[in-house]
Amino acid sequence: MLTLRRALALRVLRKEVTEAYLREKVKQIMRPDDANVAGNVHGGTILKMIEEAGAIISTRHCNSQNGERCVAALARVERTDFLSPMCIGEVAHVSAEITYTSKHSVEVQVHVMSENILTGTKKLTNKATLWYVPLSLKNVDKVLEVPPIVYLRQDQEEEGRKRYEAQKLERMETKWRNGDIVQPVLNPEPNTVSYSQSSLIHLVGPSDCTLHGFVHGGVTMKLMDEVAGIVAARHCKTNIVTASVDAINFHDKIRKGCVITISGRMTFTSNKSMEIEVLVDADPVVDNSQKRYRAASAFFTYVSLNQEGKPMPVPQLVPETEDEKKRFEEGKGRYLQMKAKRQGHTEPQP
């Protein structure tokens, strides 16, 4: 009898330890330097918190078995919607969970709740899915195998495999699609692409990097959101907030000492939203053997808010060149596709 009880206790303990490795929770109070002038927390600040939670849980899991030590590097962030604004003084509760593992990658799903500590009110602000790969501490170009997880149901593994194959295919397509660069234009007209396009140049320092000496994915995403916000603010000249981020693809690692150029340009406007394409190019200035390369890319969607915090119409973008008109139509297609998907989710079931 005692042997049976001990076996059951060990099974429960093993289950609790496993769940602890597959879940992570982080809390952080939002301060003035995390927000814009209107008090709304920057989307980039939230993205950085999401990535930090994902990096912790995936790195911990990938080192849960004896073997070569590694650090999990961010490879992709699926589309994430900013469901509700977060404000200065609120507490962000970030919870992360590993939901699928392939041979060389980890899928992490993250939820962000905001808490008003004066009233106790909580609300869901973000849901995101991130993909990580484990890189060896001894050789940064070596991708290690990921310890498998135990699924409660067989269909969970099958659904995860489908998500894995879909994101893998899209990452390859996006890498080849993003070859152009953003060129400055003198004396552009208002409401044109050239009028609001913006660039930020950043020297990668030690505080930006992992143990490998490569930039944290969260740092890159925060800079991308900052540039996208500048583009949106220049276009409509009002208070703007991040509404959503399309899939962010990390095409290559960015090493410490690189100079990165984050460029943003408006691609499409609907009545109340703006789509901004953001490109990240890395220039390894201390390494003459490597040329400038595309490191990451994504589409950000922003909305303009009035003084009551309600969405308001934005000036319509005026595409001038054939490339701008093509990107506008592509953006329109993404907008209509996502609008149809949202309407399909909200329709009542028969």
Side-chain angles (χ1 to χ4, degrees):
M1 188 68 179
L2 288 175
T3 303
L4 178 60
R5 287 180 178 176
R6 185 176 182 183
L8 290 172
L10 286 173
R11 184 180 298 177
V12 171
L13 178 61
R14 195 175 293 117
K15 180 177 182 291
E16 290 176 348
V17 170
T18 301
E19 290 180 345
Y21 269 96
L22 298 182
R23 291 186 174 91
E24 178 67 30
K25 293 186 178 181
V26 178
K27 296 180 183 179
Q28 183 175 325
I29 191 165
M30 297 294 97
R31 304 183 182 280
D33 56 351
D34 296 320
N36 62 17
V37 293
N40 302 119
V41 175
H42 292 296
T45 299
I46 299 173
L47 289 172
K48 190 171 183 288
M49 289 189 296
I50 288 173
E51 196 279 328
E52 287 173 349
I56 291 171
I57 191 173
S58 53
T59 298
R60 179 186 292 145
H61 176 71
C62 291
N63 288 280
S64 61
Q65 297 181 358
N66 293 330
E68 193 170 342
R69 295 307 173 192
C70 62
V71 171
L74 183 63
R76 175 180 167 89
V77 180
E78 302 289 0
R79 177 185 173 89
T80 176
D81 292 301
F82 290 75
L83 307 173
S84 180
M86 194 181 300
C87 300
I88 295 171
E90 293 184 331
V91 175
H93 297 257
V94 185
S95 58
E97 180 179 4
I98 294 176
T99 49
Y100 177 76
T101 57
S102 69
K103 185 177 181 181
H104 296 293
S105 65
V106 181
E107 180 192 54
V108 180
Q109 294 191 9
V110 183
H111 287 196
V112 182
M113 301 284 294
S114 66
E115 177 192 6
N116 184 321
I117 55 179
L118 300 180
T119 64
T121 304
K122 290 185 179 181
K123 55 187 177 183
L124 179 66
T125 62
N126 290 82
K127 294 190 293 184
T129 301
L130 304 90
W131 292 88
Y132 289 84
V133 293
L135 303 180
S136 168
L137 284 176
K138 296 179 180 178
N139 179 5
V140 72
D141 295 318
K142 181 181 179 182
V143 179
L144 302 181
E145 292 191 11
V146 176
I149 63 173
V150 178
Y151 301 94
L152 297 178
R153 304 188 317 274
Q154 185 177 357
D155 61 329
Q156 287 180 319
E157 183 175 8
E158 294 172 355
E159 291 168 0
R161 186 179 296 110
K162 290 178 182 177
R163 295 192 300 270
Y164 166 75
E165 294 296 340
Q167 65 85 27
K168 185 178 179 181
L169 179 62
E170 188 173 336
R171 276 177 59 197
M172 293 303 298
E173 292 176 348
T174 306
K175 185 172 183 178
W176 294 112
R177 200 164 59 228
N178 288 320
D180 59 338
I181 59 176
V182 178
Q183 298 287 359
V185 175
L186 295 176
N187 301 320
E189 292 293 325
N191 300 336
T192 61
V193 175
S194 302
Y195 184 81
S196 59
Q197 70 180 27
S198 305
S199 294
L200 183 153
I201 298 175
H202 178 75
L203 175 63
V204 176
S207 62
D208 299 323
C209 298
T210 66
L211 295 173
H212 275 119
F214 290 92
V215 177
H216 284 287
V219 171
T220 305
M221 291 194 292
K222 191 172 188 297
L223 292 170
M224 294 173 78
D225 178 74
E226 184 176 336
V227 169
I230 293 171
V231 173
R234 279 180 167 174
H235 180 77
C236 61
K237 296 181 172 27
T238 58
N239 178 34
I240 48 88
V241 293
T242 315
S244 66
V245 184
D246 211 341
I248 303 177
N249 291 286
F250 293 84
H251 308 301
D252 211 336
K253 300 180 290 293
I254 304 173
R255 188 183 294 274
K256 179 174 64 179
C258 281
V259 172
I260 55 174
T261 303
I262 306 97
S263 304
R265 62 186 171 199
M266 193 158 295
T267 51
F268 170 76
T269 53
S270 66
N271 182 37
K272 293 184 179 180
S273 68
M274 301 163 278
E275 182 191 72
I276 296 108
E277 182 181 26
V278 181
L279 309 172
V280 180
D281 295 308
D283 187 4
V285 291
V286 295
D287 184 3
N288 293 329
S289 64
Q290 191 174 9
K291 296 181 179 179
R292 181 186 176 109
Y293 60 92
R294 176 65 41 81
S297 58
F299 290 97
F300 287 70
T301 299
Y302 272 75
V303 293
S304 174
L305 302 180
N306 59 22
Q307 292 182 348
E308 288 73 40
K310 302 294 183 181
M312 58 186 293
V314 300
Q316 292 304 289
L317 182 66
V318 181
E320 297 176 300
T321 69
E322 289 302 316
D323 284 341
E324 291 172 358
K325 293 175 183 178
K326 180 183 177 182
R327 286 193 290 268
F328 186 91
E329 290 302 317
E330 291 173 346
K332 183 178 180 180
R334 287 186 291 271
Y335 168 76
L336 293 175
Q337 184 180 23
M338 188 52 57
K339 184 177 181 180
K341 186 179 294 186
R342 285 198 301 266
Q343 291 175 342
H345 287 166
T346 55
E347 287 179 358
Q349 296 296 322

